[in-house]
Amino acid sequence: MAPEHRAPADMGLGNALPGSASAGGIQSLEASMADNVESGSTIVAASAAAAARAANRFGMGLFAFLAAAAAAAAAAKKVNREAPRAANVFFSPPSLLSTLGLLASAATEGSAAAVELDAVAGLRLTDDETAAAVFGEGGRSARPGSLHAVMSPDNDAGVALHYTSGVWLRGGIDATYSQRVAALYGATAAALTTAAPINAAVAAATDGAITDLVANIRPDDVAVLVNVITFRGTWTTPFDPAATRVGTFYAAAGSRGGVPASFMHLQLPVQGSALVAVPPSAECPGLTLVELPYGEGGAFVADFILPDSRRRGRMAAVAAAMPAAWDSWVAALMSSTGSGSGNGGDRGNRHFAGGRADLSLPRFRLVDGVTDVIPALQAAGVTTIFTGAPGGAFRRMTLDPQAAVTVFVYKAALEVTEAGTTAATAAAAVVSRCVPPPRRPVVFDRPFGVVLRHRPTGAVLFTGVVADPQLVF
């Protein structure tokens, strides 16, 4: 029997979504997974560059789904005349991928769950060598050449990037599982008791930015797998606080007249910046890309994407186009970075002679509630981990043949100021024993229908409606 999926206490985008509103995101996720399966392109012992490409493809498909879901949720509130909720989306693809990796390390070899986890991002995460090549012990003492090692900002005083993983386990968990995830992800292991120690560890790892990630722990929960990523970067060229001025931000929801905002100002170009204008196409509205670097080396950047109009739905259309367009946008940014030529590729940057512009960027903070990613992962074809599998989906962690993921959530925070950026995210997957849900009462206490039939042939012998029967005889 399939387990009951538990909604987070503070639901973010989750399940209450019209299917059509997120169709573009579903198609992006399905296409990505189909490409991986049909071409046999799951990567074993991936290089850092190959791992980054695979993770980006997974992340952009997921982003399109979540952005469409957020827009649909905001539109539904408007239709129902509820208080509007802005369609914010902010998450970390590597964090969700790391959490999937913690699950892949538990997946039964050769099972449907293992196949789906390997295919969803095109990385064979159930293979220990591949997981080590991608995650390299989670950044603690990253394996040379792994994606996390290549991304390490150790020599840049202006950037800090930290990965943390933890697993909380009940008795009966295979000891080799905790040893495996410690070696591959740098994950610490602890006994699973209540949600309090988990939430405290997440809050400590994020300096208080992420709290209350896990709502509760139930008696049938056997494991909670958590990944945290934090980033702190100072701009290579900071904004001057004295130049910050109050202006108007036209939010997707709320007052049509806009809301007050503090706009930071910077004259471009600056060291390492890039500026590209992307003309409209059949798939995507026109937009402007602005890239600003962090730290001394400029290895880490922020890319800001501005639709060419305030018209409602423009950003949602851009988000839907991102999975297919992202690589070309990055190529245009890279061709214009530091050149000062204003070329920005074949068609980019044409409205910005020499990359010159007066940039106005709001100082802002995002702290969203807990978001359920099970619908997005199911749309991508990852289903067996949520329903269990014959013989058990997670036999490398627990011998319980019906263990399944009942919660998969994330929470994220972002702050952008004149000095730089801080970002944090935490993702959690809860694995539970498959306990039959409570029996639903079925009480025939109102008019009902009745049919008498011959099962082998389907022939109906009698049929009727019982509306006012003789009840006492």
Side-chain angles (χ1 to χ4, degrees):
M1 182 172 292
E4 172 192 2
H5 292 154
R6 292 139 58 184
D10 179 11
M11 196 67 171
L13 308 180
N15 297 309
L17 306 170
S20 59
S22 54
I26 292 174
Q27 291 165 0
S28 298
L29 284 167
E30 288 179 337
S32 175
M33 184 171 176
D35 288 345
N36 294 335
V37 173
E38 292 173 8
S39 66
S41 62
T42 51
I43 300 169
V44 179
S47 67
R53 288 193 298 271
N56 284 352
R57 182 166 53 185
F58 162 76
M60 285 299 167
L62 198 66
F63 169 75
F65 183 97
L66 293 173
K77 284 185 174 290
K78 182 180 180 182
V79 169
N80 295 330
R81 297 185 178 181
E82 300 177 37
R85 180 182 184 273
N88 296 323
V89 177
F90 186 66
F91 75 104
S92 168
S95 181
L96 295 180
L97 200 56
S98 293
T99 309
L100 287 171
L102 293 171
L103 288 167
S105 291
T108 305
E109 294 183 41
S111 67
V115 171
E116 292 170 3
L117 288 168
D118 283 344
V120 69
L123 292 167
R124 195 163 296 170
L125 297 178
T126 58
D127 175 72
D128 288 354
E129 282 300 307
T130 302
V134 176
F135 301 106
E137 298 186 30
R140 292 169 176 267
S141 53
R143 171 185 290 200
S146 72
L147 179 59
H148 282 180
V150 171
M151 291 174 59
S152 174
D154 290 344
N155 297 323
D156 192 335
V159 177
L161 177 65
H162 297 291
Y163 312 89
T164 306
S165 291
V167 295
W168 282 261
L169 311 170
R170 287 205 197 275
I173 295 297
D174 191 333
T176 60
Y177 172 74
S178 58
Q179 296 166 5
R180 184 182 304 114
V181 294
L184 297 176
Y185 298 89
T188 57
L192 179 60
T193 55
T194 67
I198 302 171
N199 289 331
V202 170
T206 61
D207 291 329
I210 306 293
T211 59
D212 300 325
L213 176 67
V214 177
N216 57 69
I217 299 299
R218 302 196 311 194
D220 56 314
D221 297 335
V222 298
V224 179
L225 318 178
V226 174
N227 175 264
V228 174
I229 297 181
T230 59
F231 172 85
R232 185 182 300 274
T234 57
W235 300 121
T236 302
T237 303
F239 292 81
D240 181 2
T244 298
R245 298 286 185 272
V246 175
T248 301
F249 183 83
Y250 298 89
S255 171
R256 288 189 177 182
V259 294
S262 296
F263 280 87
M264 311 178 294
H265 294 276
L266 191 65
Q267 291 189 335
L268 302 180
V270 296
Q271 179 184 345
S273 68
L275 185 64
V276 170
V278 178
S281 67
E283 296 77 23
C284 184
L287 54 92
T288 300
L289 303 169
V290 177
E291 182 167 288
L292 299 178
Y294 296 102
E296 300 168 355
F300 292 86
V301 299
D303 295 325
F304 297 98
I305 305 162
L306 181 68
D308 63 1
S309 168
R310 295 176 187 152
R311 192 176 305 164
R312 185 178 298 275
R314 282 300 175 105
M315 189 60 224
V318 170
M322 281 181 68
W326 179 247
D327 286 346
S328 65
W329 295 353
V330 171
L333 286 166
M334 291 181 67
S335 71
S336 67
T337 300
S339 67
S341 64
N343 294 328
D346 293 338
R347 296 184 297 170
N349 221 12
R350 64 183 185 182
H351 300 302
F352 303 97
R356 294 168 59 85
D358 288 324
L359 174 64
S360 298
L361 182 69
R363 186 174 61 209
F364 68 92
R365 177 184 298 156
L366 291 180
V367 182
D368 261 3
V370 174
T371 298
D372 181 8
V373 292
I374 289 179
L377 292 173
Q378 288 175 324
V382 180
T383 59
T384 307
I385 65 171
F386 304 116
T387 60
F394 299 111
R395 294 300 290 266
R396 292 199 292 171
M397 179 175 68
T398 174
L399 296 179
D400 186 337
Q402 293 183 312
V405 176
T406 55
V407 174
F408 200 132
V409 295
Y410 78 85
K411 196 172 184 179
L414 171 67
E415 183 173 291
V416 175
T417 69
E418 289 88 349
T421 300
T422 57
T425 188
V430 180
V431 180
S432 309
R433 297 185 186 92
C434 180
V435 177
R439 287 187 172 87
R440 182 172 62 91
V442 180
V443 181
F444 285 77
D445 58 357
R446 51 197 175 274
F448 58 88
V450 60
V451 175
L452 305 185
R453 63 187 174 88
H454 179 238
R455 181 181 285 172
T457 64
V460 174
L461 303 178
F462 301 89
T463 182
V465 172
V466 180
D468 188 14
Q470 179 183 348
L471 298 173
V472 179
F473 55 88

